[in-house]
Amino acid sequence: MTDEAARDQEAVSKFVESFAAQLVEAGMQRMPARVFAALLSSDDGALTSADLGEQLRISPAAVSGAVRYLAQTHMVSREREPGSRRERYRVQGNQWYEALTNREAVLKRWEVALREGVVSLGAETPAGLRLAETLAFFEFVDGEIAAMMERWRTYREARFGETR
C-alpha cells in the first residue's frame, strides 16, 4: 500500500486541479469539483473540512458550500469522527453508481411533467409533438440506465469482488 505522505504532493495537486477542470467542463461547479477530486485522490476517500481547506487553500465556507452541493447530488457523504464533533467527508467507490441511480428519480419527475405538458399543449400540436419526443427520449434513457446499472453491478462484482 502506498504511503500518502510519501507521494509527490505537487503531482497530487496537479491531478486534483486537472480532474476538477474536466468536471467543470462537464458542468459541475468549480469548488465542488475541486473538493470531489481531492476526496477521490485521498487513500481512505475521506478528509475533514480542515484537511480540504489546507490542501485546496480554500476557506471553511467554500468547503461547506462545496460539500453541501456534493451531498445533495449523492457524490459524498458526511460522517462524524469517533469521539469528536468534527465531520469527515467521504467519497465511496460506488459514488458514480449512486449519483446516476439517484438521477433516475429526476428523470421520473421530468417524465411526469412532460406527460402533463403533452396533454396541456395537445398531442398533435407542434409543441405537443416536441414534448412527446422529449418524453420518449427520457423514457428510453431511463430504461437504458436501469439495464446499464444491472450490468455494472455484475461487472463490478466480477472485477472487484462483492464490496470494498
Side-chain angles (χ1 to χ4, degrees), residues 71-144:
Q72 288 171 347
T73 59
H74 305 280
M75 299 289 286
V76 302
S77 59
R78 298 170 192 249
E79 58 188 40
R80 290 265 183 219
E81 287 186 330
S84 171
R85 291 179 18 177
R86 294 176 65 175
E87 283 188 328
R88 291 172 53 90
Y89 308 111
R90 177 170 301 282
V91 64
Q92 303 295 330
N94 66 345
Q95 76 278 349
W96 299 110
Y97 173 86
E98 290 298 323
L100 193 53
T101 299
N102 286 303
R103 292 285 185 229
E104 285 183 280
V106 172
L107 288 177
K108 292 290 187 198
R109 288 194 308 267
W110 290 354
E111 289 172 20
V112 168
L114 287 164
R115 270 188 207 90
E116 291 172 2
V118 170
V119 170
S120 297
L121 296 169
E124 300 304 319
T125 66
L129 289 169
R130 190 170 42 254
L131 288 184
E133 184 175 347
T134 303
L135 171 59
F137 172 77
F138 285 123
E139 288 171 337
F140 175 81
V141 168
D142 189 35
E144 290 298 306

Side-chain angles (χ1 to χ4, degrees), residues 64 108 119 154 164:
S64 178
K108 292 290 187 198
V119 170
T154 302
R164 292 181 284 153

Side-chain angles (χ1 to χ4, degrees), residues 2-96:
T2 304
D3 181 5
E4 221 170 313
R7 288 193 181 129
D8 178 350
Q9 291 306 309
E10 186 175 328
V12 171
S13 180
K14 203 172 190 178
F15 163 77
V16 166
E17 295 305 325
S18 173
F19 189 59
Q22 295 298 315
L23 293 171
V24 168
E25 192 172 308
M28 187 182 279
Q29 298 170 9
R30 183 172 181 268
M31 206 53 67
R34 292 181 72 215
V35 167
F36 180 75
L39 287 167
L40 195 61
S41 67
S42 70
D43 278 343
D44 65 0
L47 296 167
T48 65
S49 179
D51 294 335
L52 286 163
E54 182 180 327
Q55 179 180 342
L56 299 173
R57 297 183 191 110
I58 59 176
S59 70
V63 172
S64 178
V67 168
R68 186 178 324 98
Y69 172 86
L70 292 167
Q72 288 171 347
T73 59
H74 305 280
M75 299 289 286
V76 302
S77 59
R78 298 170 192 249
E79 58 188 40
R80 290 265 183 219
E81 287 186 330
S84 171
R85 291 179 18 177
R86 294 176 65 175
E87 283 188 328
R88 291 172 53 90
Y89 308 111
R90 177 170 301 282
V91 64
Q92 303 295 330
N94 66 345
Q95 76 278 349
W96 299 110

